[in-house]
Amino acid sequence: MKSFEISEEDKQQIERALGFRIFSDQEMTRRTTRMQEELRANNLDAMLLTDEVNVLYFAGMAVPSFATRTRPIMVVVPVDNPPILICSRSQSSNARSASWIEYIAPFEKFEEDAIDTAAEVLSQFVPDNGRIGCEIGKEQRLGLSFLGFQRLTKRLMTREFVDGSAALWSVRIIKGPEEIVFMKESGRINELAMAAAVSAASSGVTEMSVRNAWAIELARHGVDRPGYLAIHSGANNYRRISSSGTERILQSGDLLWMDGGPIFHGYWSDITRMVSIGKARPADRDRYAFACDTVQTLVNSAKPGITAGDIARHGQKLFASIGRQMGGASRIGHGIGIELTEPPSIVDGDETVLVEGMTLSIETGLADWDGYFLMETNLVITSSGSDVLSSPASSTLPETL
């Protein structure tokens, strides 16, 4: 496993992305070519993409319009033709500068117009009795209203709308070099921001003030948005793992736990940090060290050819060696990328074979009544093993003065 670093070439890519376009045409061509290969393999004539993350992935642009559901944005990827971007006329100027897609089909008003435009585009590229892949399966969501989707299927009654999630994940699960650059930068920024949050933690301040220090530092470093920031502390609160923070005042003896991270150019970081408010108890240091060591061992074990389930079973043995059961909310990790959680799940039973370019988040530890010692690290599978996408947490439990 190599140490985390940002190269000069990576820095140049990040600077280029501050302009209109996030990704190179070569990267976007790679994604489209892979999608078309999957369309052929799955006997599909086109893929209809409506969700924000899939539009970002195949159009190569992030737009604020997804903050409203009034005017959908869609991408159609035909099996044998270049992709088409469908957006409102008010978005078309931005689309022409920010997206690599040349063919843009604008509509005038709201969702009904968008649906009618999508029907016209699909009818040109999908024959009668053809098959259209949609975001209706595993870990996918439509960016259209249910009635809007029904309207589209009725407009194209002679075509079949089918689950395209398997084809989508076959493409998205393997990241290209440009994606890895942004995930590393997201992780680097998250580390800095979490360090600022740990520095802000002390007896007498609130959870929310620590969370705000985290969020402010993320914004200062130019993330798209803070993303998912979970924080909890204190007795009777250690199982509140999805808490976004409260006005609870930190006290000496508390353990403060933070989980999550930001989105940078569309890509997530998801790591954890802990700090003891005041001097740490020996038992807390030991449990924290076990969680860190276990996650690091599992990260080191990740390599091409093994399965997600193999990592989970390795973890089970590590916990059994100390007479404990493995902690985690039904799994000890997941894929990560333009979504916080993606396939595969790191769980006994998911036999997805790891290959070069997959990005994972491994998280496990000890969930006890007097502390939640769960640590998390992000990594990418390489040709011979794995590289971390951010530096690991301190091997010893940090303490406030």
Side-chain angles (χ1 to χ4, degrees):
M1 183 186 70
K2 297 180 181 177
S3 299
F4 168 74
E5 59 182 10
I6 296 286
S7 69
E8 286 302 317
E9 182 179 354
D10 291 349
K11 290 177 182 177
Q12 292 172 9
Q13 181 191 322
I14 292 165
E15 290 172 1
R16 287 196 302 271
L18 296 177
F20 289 119
R21 296 192 177 181
I22 301 175
F23 301 102
S24 69
D25 286 354
Q26 291 86 348
E27 168 62 12
M28 299 311 301
T29 298
R30 180 191 71 83
R31 299 179 187 188
T32 301
T33 300
R34 279 288 299 118
M35 186 74 262
Q36 290 173 328
E37 290 171 352
E38 288 297 323
L39 291 176
R40 294 186 189 97
N42 288 272
N43 192 30
L44 297 172
D45 296 286
M47 184 69 71
L48 173 64
L49 304 158
T50 63
D51 188 36
E52 178 177 8
V53 293
N54 289 323
V55 170
L56 165 66
Y57 188 83
F58 287 100
M61 68 173 190
V63 293
S65 290
F66 280 100
T68 172
R69 301 181 190 277
T70 307
R71 298 180 179 90
I73 302 176
M74 294 175 267
V75 173
V76 173
V77 182
V79 68
D80 290 317
N81 286 279
I84 303 95
L85 178 63
I86 301 166
C87 64
S88 66
R89 195 167 294 281
S90 61
Q91 273 289 327
S92 61
S93 178
N94 176 61
R96 293 187 188 283
S97 59
S99 174
W100 82 294
I101 295 177
E102 296 182 9
Y103 301 96
I104 296 176
F107 59 88
E108 295 295 338
K109 295 181 181 179
F110 306 123
E111 187 181 70
E112 286 191 3
D113 284 347
I115 295 300
D116 291 342
T117 302
E120 292 171 7
V121 169
L122 287 165
S123 66
Q124 293 180 45
F125 296 99
V126 179
D128 286 344
N129 302 315
R131 287 161 44 91
I132 301 167
C134 305
E135 305 146 312
I136 57 175
K138 180 179 181 179
E139 297 190 40
Q140 294 290 334
R141 300 292 185 273
L142 288 168
L144 302 173
S145 70
F146 179 68
L147 293 178
F149 185 65
Q150 281 189 320
R151 177 186 176 93
L152 180 60
T153 60
K154 289 177 181 178
R155 283 285 309 270
L156 299 170
M157 291 184 65
T158 61
R159 282 84 170 176
E160 184 181 7
F161 288 78
V162 301
D163 176 16
S165 60
L168 271 172
W169 283 124
S170 291
V171 178
R172 279 182 45 192
I173 202 168
I174 300 175
K175 277 47 174 193
E178 294 182 25
E179 296 179 273
I180 301 303
V181 168
F182 292 148
M183 294 186 71
K184 285 184 177 180
E185 181 67 1
S186 188
R188 185 188 72 84
I189 293 171
N190 200 17
E191 287 176 37
L192 294 174
M194 283 181 144
V198 168
S199 295
S202 65
S203 181
V205 305
T206 66
E207 286 181 352
M208 190 57 73
S209 66
V210 176
R211 183 189 183 278
N212 289 344
W214 183 7
I216 289 168
E217 194 70 6
L218 290 173
R220 196 175 73 81
H221 284 278
V223 301
D224 301 355
R225 52 185 184 269
Y228 175 86
L229 308 184
I231 185 169
H232 71 225
S233 66
N236 301 317
N237 294 313
Y238 292 125
R239 296 302 179 94
R240 299 175 62 244
I241 62 174
S242 297
S243 170
S244 59
T246 69
E247 293 301 325
R248 180 185 181 278
I249 297 174
L250 299 178
Q251 303 171 24
S252 180
D254 286 345
L255 293 167
L256 180 75
W257 180 81
M258 299 181 293
D259 174 36
I263 305 167
F264 179 81
H265 288 325
Y267 287 81
W268 284 85
S269 168
D270 183 19
I271 58 179
T272 58
R273 293 292 187 266
M274 283 187 74
V275 59
S276 173
I277 307 303
K279 189 172 181 62
R281 295 178 290 269
D284 293 342
R285 294 195 193 102
D286 291 345
R287 287 179 290 180
Y288 174 86
F290 173 79
C292 288
D293 291 345
T294 300
V295 168
Q296 192 61 59
T297 298
L298 296 178
V299 168
N300 292 342
S301 74
K303 61 183 179 181
I306 71 169
T307 70
D310 288 334
I311 297 176
R313 289 184 285 273
H314 189 175
Q316 289 169 353
K317 292 177 181 177
L318 294 174
F319 277 81
S321 71
I322 63 165
R324 296 287 299 263
Q325 290 188 331
M326 189 164 61
S330 74
R331 61 184 182 182
I332 62 161
H334 50 80
I336 186 171
I338 53 174
E339 292 185 85
L340 177 63
T341 68
E342 301 181 351
S345 287
I346 310 300
V347 64
D348 188 1
D350 188 328
E351 303 310 321
T352 302
V353 177
L354 304 187
V355 300
E356 183 177 3
M358 285 186 178
T359 48
L360 306 174
S361 181
I362 294 180
E363 52 182 334
T364 192
L366 298 167
D368 293 334
W369 68 270
D370 59 345
Y372 192 70
F373 301 88
L374 183 142
M375 304 309 295
E376 183 169 15
T377 298
N378 304 153
L379 61 104
V380 57
I381 301 298
T382 65
S383 59
S384 58
S386 67
D387 286 349
V388 291
L389 295 172
S390 58
S391 299
S394 168
S395 59
T396 57
L397 178 58
E399 303 171 337
T400 65
L401 299 176

